[in-house]
Amino acid sequence: MASAIQKITLNGSRDIPFNKLTLSQSNVRRVKSGLSIEELAADIERRGLLQSLNVRPVVDDAGTETGMFEVPAGGRRFRALELLVKQKKLNKTAPIPCVVREAGSPILAEDDSLAENVQRVSLHPLDQFRAFRTLLEKGLSEEEIAAAFFVPVTVVKQRLRLMTVSEKLLALYEEDGIRLDQLMAFSISDDHERQEQVWDILSQSHNREPYLIRRMLTEKTVRASDRRARFVGIDVYVAAGGHVLRDLFETDDGGWLNDPTLLDRLVMEKLAGAAEEIRSEGWKWVETALSFPWGHTREIDEIPVALSEDNAARLEALNAERDAIEAEYAQADELPDEIDARLGEIEEQIAAIEERLATYDPIDMARAGVFVSLGNDGTLVIERGFVRPEDMPVEPEDDDTGIEGDDETGAHDGGEDGDGTAGYLEGEEPSDAEPEEEDGLKPLSDRLLTELTAWRTLALRDAFAGNPHVALTEFLHTQVRDLYWQMPGADCLEAYVREISLPVHSPDMPGSLSAHALRQRNEGWKHDLPENEDALWRWIDGLDDTSRMALLAHCLSFGINALHESSHGPSLARSVRERLARAGRLATALRLDLAEAGWQPTVENYLGRVTKARILEAVREAWGDDAADRIAHLKKGEMAREAERLLEGSGWLPEALRTKGLPVPSEGDEIPDSPAAVAAE
């Protein structure tokens, strides 16, 4: 006959006045963790006590109960109640729900304390996410949920964002088939179908890292930091019906715009609007594009216009304020933020006034036009006064000689015909694009080397023109060498000076910092020049030494030639090598850093035009083997796009653009919050 199962008896519960309770020394919790006592007290004040205290009678030496009770399990709740009593929010005789274990129980007090904490099972994160969503659906705001559970609002937003992931992926997470960091990466998109497609693809691969999930979900989007997005403005894009993908778990630099077609339409509409305003000035033509080739000739000159009395007074006041601020902070190592911002505002206002200081002859405007384009920084670029070859006036030949290239900007000499056709427009594929199957560290193509060295030449000119000491040294070195040593070979500085054209270049070069600086510097000198040649000598003779040196450096800079050229024959090859070596010496003297000058590796200007081995070499040099290994399995097009994101802001340069003597970015020199830092994490 089977014996009857013995029934258990649960400990009784009763309400005990708080002043009859005391904290037991048998409580095993010693280390503070989780919610603070203050936060727990606030929670009890809001919702009451959710869990009883576990207590035992206190007995004297004779084993007689004293009427007091110790608390071995529930010490944090006891301390929270104690705090409420001290704050006069709870009476000291208030009844407290307690589970009472009999005196002399064989179960030790430490046993109860340990069991209460060890046997507790934490809530699955998915249950917490769903609970937050339920609270939101029942009327609580994100701020109220955050306050109720003592977490930042961003945490609540993150938890709620995870609930936008496909139910299929949430089910996988519940079954431990997907990690939390992978789930967080999927939350960047609201498209459940695309989320599931990406997971189906990655589930067949060994690489399921979060960075790859994010890349695949955003591969057809445009970064908010893109120049087009900055030009249009995120608010305008959203108002037009666009959607911005945001990553609540990683730094996303403003997110991703998921409708490139809409963005491009808004860009062209805004450019067209600017063009209409400029067309009303009376130009023969106005062209708009995202960017234009570096190769157009400016043929008509500005006519200075006198300032109005109001503008003259305003300009004088702004200059005086700027001079006063600069004098006050002349000895300061760093300007306060508000002062720095004010100086920026002053410079913008001065530039706006001075921009109106010139006009053009209506007769010249009737045969000339304007380029309206987009700068690399997302600003509107307006370049006036360009004449097409068919509109050039026919001039009689004469024997007068002078500096070649009427365009002193160094920015718009298009080669022999001046139309810039040797460059290529944004979106046009370079002729030397690498086939997918090619691999290995094969030499760079002549076309790519020419484009890279065109960038270097332009940046070298800017640095050269800004350093009269080096300019004069190089000028004298060239002259003395030619006069006394009669050394053969091509020079880096052709000192007679013949402007060296840059007809072959990448599309991003015209909007670069160096191009902008050269244009601004040239326009400044052009504005100051006298009206005729007779007055030129007297004007130059009257300049102070600093101005004379600056003008000399500026004029000499147009002769800088650091271009690679395809060579046929040993003589020309030696000539190019000598020129590039001397250009390298000049770059070292000027401490030229092409990364600081604005060059960054992109699919268009480098990564899409070299082999996979060179792409991996670039990523490896910048971020180490781990980052390179993570993209090694990708196809070339995907690898190039991912490498562009990894190398953004890294300072990495191809060998043709490096300057001897400057440190080369190496593995470990990570830039905080960069995409590469996330990928290499």
Side-chain angles (χ1 to χ4, degrees):
M1 180 177 179
S3 59
I5 298 176
Q6 186 177 0
K7 303 297 190 292
I8 64 172
T9 302
L10 299 178
N11 294 317
S13 62
R14 55 186 280 201
D15 291 343
I16 300 174
F18 179 76
N19 60 353
K20 297 296 183 182
L21 300 175
T22 181
L23 188 62
S24 172
Q25 296 305 308
S26 300
N27 194 303
V28 298
R29 186 187 292 275
R30 295 287 186 268
V31 180
K32 295 180 179 179
S33 69
L35 223 60
S36 71
I37 298 300
E38 290 77 9
E39 291 171 338
L40 182 55
D43 189 71
I44 293 173
E45 180 183 0
R46 174 177 176 268
R47 73 176 90 245
L49 197 62
L50 295 180
Q51 187 177 355
S52 301
L53 304 183
N54 183 285
V55 303
R56 295 171 178 241
V58 177
V59 297
D60 58 20
D61 294 339
T64 305
E65 294 186 11
T66 62
M68 296 293 291
F69 296 84
E70 63 176 355
V71 184
R76 295 183 69 253
R77 297 190 295 279
F78 174 82
R79 290 189 181 280
L81 293 169
E82 186 178 45
L83 179 59
L84 291 172
V85 170
K86 289 180 180 179
Q87 295 173 344
K88 307 295 185 183
K89 295 179 179 179
L90 182 70
N91 290 328
K92 63 181 180 180
T93 58
I96 307 300
C98 299
V99 174
V100 184
R101 184 178 291 280
E102 71 278 3
S105 170
I107 305 297
L108 298 176
E110 290 83 358
D111 193 341
D112 281 345
S113 177
L114 182 61
E116 182 186 61
N117 291 283
V118 171
Q119 294 180 9
R120 180 184 302 158
V121 178
S122 298
L123 197 66
H124 191 280
L126 192 56
D127 290 329
Q128 184 194 39
F129 309 157
R130 287 170 174 159
F132 278 178
R133 181 176 63 182
T134 300
L135 292 175
L136 189 71
E137 291 170 350
K138 290 189 175 183
L140 287 183
S141 66
E142 293 173 346
E143 290 74 15
E144 289 172 330
I145 296 172
F149 293 95
F150 305 101
V151 294
V153 177
T154 53
V155 172
V156 177
K157 290 180 180 293
Q158 288 174 342
R159 300 298 184 264
L160 292 171
R161 184 59 171 270
L162 288 171
M163 299 313 299
T164 64
V165 177
S166 159
E167 286 295 334
K168 175 183 176 181
L169 297 178
L170 291 176
L172 277 173
Y173 175 55
E174 187 174 351
E175 298 167 0
D176 296 328
I178 185 172
R179 302 195 312 266
L180 178 58
D181 59 343
Q182 293 170 326
L183 195 70
M184 290 158 58
F186 276 112
S187 72
I188 199 171
S189 170
D190 297 331
D191 187 342
H192 290 182
E193 182 178 355
R194 180 56 180 159
Q195 291 172 355
E196 294 172 8
Q197 287 176 350
V198 169
W199 180 251
D200 289 341
I201 294 170
L202 294 182
S203 61
Q204 309 300 319
S205 167
H206 70 281
N207 188 355
R208 305 175 190 177
E209 292 303 311
Y211 86 92
L212 186 57
I213 295 171
R214 289 185 174 92
R215 185 187 66 77
M216 293 181 69
L217 288 173
T218 59
E219 62 186 354
K220 295 182 180 180
T221 64
V222 175
R223 281 188 170 273
S225 56
D226 186 273
R227 59 176 180 156
R228 292 169 291 170
R230 284 183 285 172
F231 177 63
V232 170
I234 301 298
D235 293 341
V236 173
Y237 167 79
V238 172
H243 179 61
V244 180
L245 304 180
R246 297 303 306 266
D247 190 342
L248 297 184
F249 301 94
E250 300 284 355
T251 301
D252 62 5
D253 296 324
W256 295 263
L257 284 62
N258 70 346
D259 193 341
T261 303
L262 171 62
L263 178 62
D264 287 338
R265 178 171 63 80
L266 294 174
V267 169
M268 297 314 297
E269 286 176 356
K270 188 170 181 179
L271 287 175
E276 281 303 313
E277 293 183 13
I278 295 166
R279 193 171 282 110
S280 64
E281 296 175 6
W283 299 98
K284 179 178 181 179
W285 52 265
V286 178
E287 284 192 14
T288 61
L290 292 181
S291 64
F292 289 98
W294 185 261
H296 299 284
T297 303
R298 178 179 280 133
E299 285 293 334
I300 67 173
D301 296 326
E302 297 176 339
I303 301 173
V305 176
L307 277 174
S308 66
E309 291 185 4
D310 290 343
N311 278 339
R314 178 64 178 154
L315 187 61
E316 184 178 356
L318 288 169
N319 283 320
E321 183 181 357
R322 179 184 60 187
D323 294 343
I325 291 175
E326 290 176 347
E328 182 179 353
Y329 291 93
Q331 304 303 319
D333 294 333
E334 189 174 350
L335 294 175
D337 291 342
E338 63 276 8
I339 298 300
D340 189 43
R342 178 55 187 160
L343 279 176
E345 293 173 0
I346 291 173
E347 293 294 344
E348 288 179 3
Q349 293 174 29
I350 290 176
I353 294 174
E354 291 181 340
E355 191 175 347
R356 304 189 189 99
L357 295 181
T359 185
Y360 295 87
D361 188 322
I363 298 176
D364 287 336
M365 293 172 68
R367 65 183 178 90
V370 182
F371 291 118
V372 180
S373 59
L374 194 55
N376 281 357
D377 58 353
T379 57
L380 185 68
V381 177
I382 301 173
E383 298 180 285
R384 296 175 173 86
F386 293 92
V387 180
R388 289 171 171 157
E390 62 268 24
D391 295 325
M392 297 281 285
V394 179
E395 297 180 359
E397 294 185 3
D398 55 47
D399 295 332
D400 292 339
T401 59
I403 297 176
E404 288 191 22
D406 190 43
D407 169 26
E408 296 179 352
T409 64
H412 303 287
D413 180 358
E416 293 182 3
D417 58 6
D419 65 356
T421 54
Y424 58 90
L425 293 174
E426 186 166 314
E428 181 180 340
E429 290 294 330
S431 60
D432 62 338
E434 294 287 349
E436 173 68 31
E437 66 274 6
E438 289 192 7
D439 210 344
L441 291 173
K442 60 178 293 185
L444 301 183
S445 67
D446 287 334
R447 168 77 185 224
L448 179 55
L449 276 172
T450 301
E451 289 184 14
L452 292 174
T453 52
W455 243 101
R456 190 178 194 223
T457 299
L458 189 70
L460 197 56
R461 287 178 181 178
D462 180 34
F464 185 93
N467 194 321
H469 177 81
V470 171
L472 184 58
T473 301
E474 182 68 19
F475 176 65
L476 292 174
H477 177 274
T478 302
Q479 294 301 300
V480 169
R481 192 187 71 241
D482 290 348
L483 180 63
Y484 293 100
W485 299 339
Q486 298 181 351
M487 292 181 64
D491 292 319
C492 169
L493 169 64
E494 303 188 10
Y496 24 97
V497 169
R498 177 176 65 85
E499 183 178 347
I500 307 302
S501 65
L502 306 175
V504 178
H505 58 78
S506 57
D508 57 343
M509 195 182 79
S512 66
L513 296 175
S514 299
H516 177 72
L518 284 167
R519 281 194 293 265
Q520 292 293 101
R521 186 183 291 113
N522 187 73
E523 293 300 328
W525 280 115
K526 192 173 181 180
H527 179 269
D528 293 342
L529 290 177
E531 295 182 1
N532 56 69
E533 187 178 354
D534 293 337
L536 181 61
W537 175 266
R538 294 192 301 273
W539 179 77
I540 296 176
D541 188 52
L543 292 175
D544 59 79
D545 287 345
T546 300
S547 298
R548 287 159 62 90
M549 290 285 284
L551 179 58
L552 173 65
H554 173 65
C555 292
L556 292 178
S557 71
F558 293 119
I560 294 294
N561 187 353
L563 285 170
H564 164 85
E565 293 180 57
S566 55
S567 53
H568 302 285
S571 177
L572 181 57
R574 182 174 61 254
S575 176
V576 172
R577 285 197 304 271
E578 290 172 353
R579 176 206 302 153
L580 294 179
R582 290 163 185 163
R585 178 186 61 207
L586 191 56
T588 299
L590 292 166
R591 296 193 62 78
L592 178 69
D593 188 335
L594 265 293
E596 289 187 1
W599 190 90
Q600 287 201 107
T602 66
V603 173
E604 194 170 27
N605 69 13
Y606 184 80
L607 298 167
R609 305 168 62 189
V610 297
T611 61
K612 293 173 68 174
R614 284 203 176 272
I615 298 174
L616 293 174
E617 178 189 48
V619 174
R620 186 175 291 109
E621 287 181 351
W623 302 113
D625 292 337
D626 185 52
D629 291 344
R630 291 189 178 193
I631 66 171
H633 68 286
L634 300 176
K635 293 183 178 180
K636 181 180 173 182
E638 294 178 336
M639 181 186 290
R641 288 193 294 273
E642 182 60 22
E644 177 179 331
R645 295 175 63 174
L646 289 171
L647 294 173
E648 181 181 354
S650 68
W652 180 87
L653 296 170
E655 189 173 355
L657 298 185
R658 296 176 187 175
T659 296
K660 185 178 180 180
L662 293 185
V664 178
S666 60
E667 178 186 353
D669 296 336
E670 293 186 5
I671 302 174
D673 299 331
S674 72
V678 175
E681 196 174 281

